[in-house]
Amino acid sequence: MKFDIAWIDDAENAVPEERATVAALALHVGGRNATLASLPKGKVVKNITVVAYALAEGLVHDWWRVFTPHDLPVSLRRWRSGYIVPDIRFDFDGQTFTVHVQPSEQEGITFLTEASEILTPQNIEDHFRNFLDTVDQRLRSKRISGSAMQLRWARVRQSLEDPAETAFCKAAGAFGLDPYQIDDASASFIENAEGFFSGEALLEFLAGAATARKHTELLSWISAAESRPDNTCRLDDLAAHAHSIAVSAPPRSNERPWSLGYRRAQILRSKLDLSGEVGPLPSLAARLGASAAFSDAGSVAGLRAVRSVDGQTARIHLRRHGHSAAELFSFARAVGDVICFPGNGRASLNDLRNVYRQAASRAFAAEFLAPINEITELRLKGNDALAMAEKFGVSEEVINHQITNEGQIRAAA
């Protein structure tokens, strides 16, 4: 991604910050010009005229939201302040940024480019820092200081220099809040969550908790689940399988979450010598070293399960679902999280779909419970999605997604 800015002097805007930062802006995504556009009379232009201050102010106020995993991408149009800009979206899954640009039309101006680019968080941070610093320098060259954008950028830069403050700001952003205007109750919830989760797992938990109506009950549920007898949640063989698979099938460079999930599901099926359906849940849990006392941890809204690993011991605390297919799928997702991320600590399984760990666990569960090779064979024999869902103990949605994603599944293998 690249910002090309050509400042335009003597603009007529009334607001000093805007007048100083009118620019011809060209944005490049994946080496292609995202601002290439056709005007109403057919003229094609390579850049757009915008107030860079508006984009900079929007970006810096959304900084911590941009750099935390969520299901919904952040759109450049969110920051445009009325100006016409291309449809560029920044999608962060917790591991990598995907920058998308789609053709679009606004007020007779048609943006022509379709492109995407995958960047590391450091890549995108460098691009955004350079843009904000460039706008800041332009303002100072026009003897403007103390604007809202400059003050906010100074505060964000200060937070970025302190690892502890950076961690809290990211946590607040994952929870959907401004870390500089957070209420005491939310700050306390984040601090309490840090007692259970850390790193990527903390951010995914908070991003999922942000949509729960009674998020304070989530930590109480986890505490209660972990106070149960150990034989209700421990799977004696799971951690050993996870460590073995991590050695034999290490993560690939820049691997997408679904790829990791699909291929490790296939490996675990092979290690367990599974064919056909793997359920019901008690039978699957027993294959992974659970006792006959293994059970769910009761109802809660906002979580599917919590897994924890401590050395060679793995535990799964499963929410009560009230539906066998949903419960089996959530259990398989928790197993998949241990298999794909075998390190010590807790992680939550929730309803987020596009963030890295959640996407990996969904892909794992789908391929582990309803492998594409067996679906293909059953389809050739005339079975429909409902019949296959009943056979494998999953929903029709899982079967249909497997069929849709067949190419990705086979590529992962």
Side-chain angles (χ1 to χ4, degrees):
M1 185 177 178
K2 183 182 179 184
F3 292 81
D4 283 335
I5 302 172
W7 300 115
I8 299 174
D9 292 317
D10 303 319
E12 298 180 357
N13 300 57
V15 179
E17 294 89 345
E18 294 187 355
R19 185 167 60 249
T21 59
V22 175
L25 176 66
L27 290 165
H28 300 270
V29 175
R32 303 189 64 194
N33 186 354
T35 44
L36 186 70
S38 174
L39 303 184
K41 293 184 179 181
K43 180 181 178 181
V44 175
V45 297
K46 295 182 179 180
N47 52 38
I48 53 174
T49 301
V50 299
V51 169
Y53 180 87
L55 295 178
E57 185 178 34
L59 167 59
V60 77
H61 275 84
D62 275 353
W63 183 274
W64 300 112
R65 166 67 177 79
V66 171
F67 283 92
T68 52
H70 289 84
D71 266 357
L72 297 176
V74 178
S75 173
L76 182 74
R77 291 181 177 176
R78 176 180 169 93
W79 310 325
R80 68 190 181 97
S81 191
Y83 288 86
I84 296 173
V85 296
D87 184 12
I88 298 177
R89 303 181 185 189
F90 307 97
D91 192 354
F92 183 45
D93 67 6
Q95 298 279 337
T96 58
F97 273 91
T98 304
V99 184
H100 305 271
V101 58
Q102 294 287 340
S104 62
E105 189 275 335
Q106 297 174 68
E107 300 181 24
I109 296 177
T110 302
F111 291 101
L112 305 172
T113 301
E114 180 176 357
S116 63
E117 184 175 4
I118 295 177
L119 299 169
T120 67
Q122 189 60 58
N123 290 153
I124 203 78
E125 181 177 325
D126 290 343
H127 289 307
F128 284 161
R129 276 179 176 266
N130 289 338
F131 172 67
L132 292 170
D133 286 341
T134 299
V135 174
D136 182 31
Q137 291 163 10
R138 172 68 174 181
L139 291 169
R140 293 182 187 279
S141 74
K142 298 297 183 178
R143 298 182 180 179
I144 298 173
S145 60
S147 68
M149 171 261 162
Q150 290 169 301
L151 293 174
R152 177 77 174 200
W153 182 219
R155 193 166 190 183
V156 170
R157 284 201 307 262
Q158 185 178 18
S159 296
L160 288 168
E161 292 172 0
D162 182 339
E165 190 169 345
T166 297
F168 179 80
C169 289
K170 285 186 175 182
F175 199 41
L177 299 176
D178 183 342
Y180 307 121
Q181 298 181 17
I182 193 168
D183 62 276
D184 290 343
S186 296
S188 177
F189 176 73
I190 290 171
E191 290 168 359
N192 290 336
E194 289 173 340
F196 289 87
F197 303 98
S198 63
E200 176 190 8
L202 172 65
L203 299 182
E204 291 198 9
F205 169 75
L206 290 170
T211 63
R213 291 185 177 181
K214 299 179 180 180
H215 55 259
T216 56
E217 293 182 359
L218 300 177
L219 299 180
S220 298
W221 182 88
I222 296 170
S223 294
E226 293 188 340
S227 69
R228 298 180 302 150
D230 206 35
N231 62 354
T232 62
C233 59
R234 194 179 71 246
L235 294 98
D236 290 334
D237 301 332
L238 179 55
H241 286 309
H243 293 305
S244 172
I245 291 173
V247 172
S248 64
R252 298 166 178 165
S253 177
N254 298 320
E255 185 167 29
R256 306 306 297 148
W258 43 264
S259 174
L260 179 65
Y262 288 143
R263 66 189 184 90
R264 290 201 174 176
Q266 293 166 355
I267 294 169
L268 183 60
R269 283 186 66 95
S270 178
K271 285 177 67 71
L272 296 177
D273 195 24
L274 293 174
S275 61
E277 61 273 23
V278 302
L281 194 153
S283 174
L284 174 57
R287 283 180 175 269
L288 296 169
S291 76
F294 185 90
S295 63
D296 67 65
S299 299
V300 67
L303 283 174
R304 296 288 174 171
V306 169
R307 61 70 113 185
S308 66
V309 175
D310 181 9
Q312 290 298 314
T313 303
R315 297 174 177 85
I316 290 176
H317 304 289
L318 185 64
R319 165 190 173 174
R320 181 174 299 152
H321 289 62
H323 189 282
S324 59
E327 201 159 84
L328 178 64
F329 195 79
S330 291
F331 177 79
R333 285 185 61 196
V335 170
D337 191 90
V338 175
I339 295 294
C340 294
F341 310 98
N344 286 351
R346 299 181 188 85
S348 62
L349 289 303
N350 56 36
D351 289 331
L352 297 174
R353 303 196 68 86
N354 298 324
V355 299
Y356 198 92
R357 290 181 78 132
Q358 307 301 320
S361 74
R362 276 195 172 83
F364 177 97
E367 179 64 7
F368 184 71
L369 297 176
I372 191 62
N373 286 341
E374 300 193 23
I375 287 176
T376 300
E377 291 181 8
L378 289 170
R379 290 180 74 197
L380 291 173
K381 295 176 181 177
N383 289 273
D384 61 14
L386 177 59
M388 290 185 284
E390 291 174 344
K391 173 179 175 58
F392 291 116
V394 299
S395 68
E396 284 185 79
E397 181 183 22
V398 170
I399 300 298
N400 288 327
H401 281 167
Q402 285 289 89
I403 294 169
T404 299
N405 296 328
E406 180 176 1
Q408 289 186 339
I409 300 170
R410 298 198 184 284

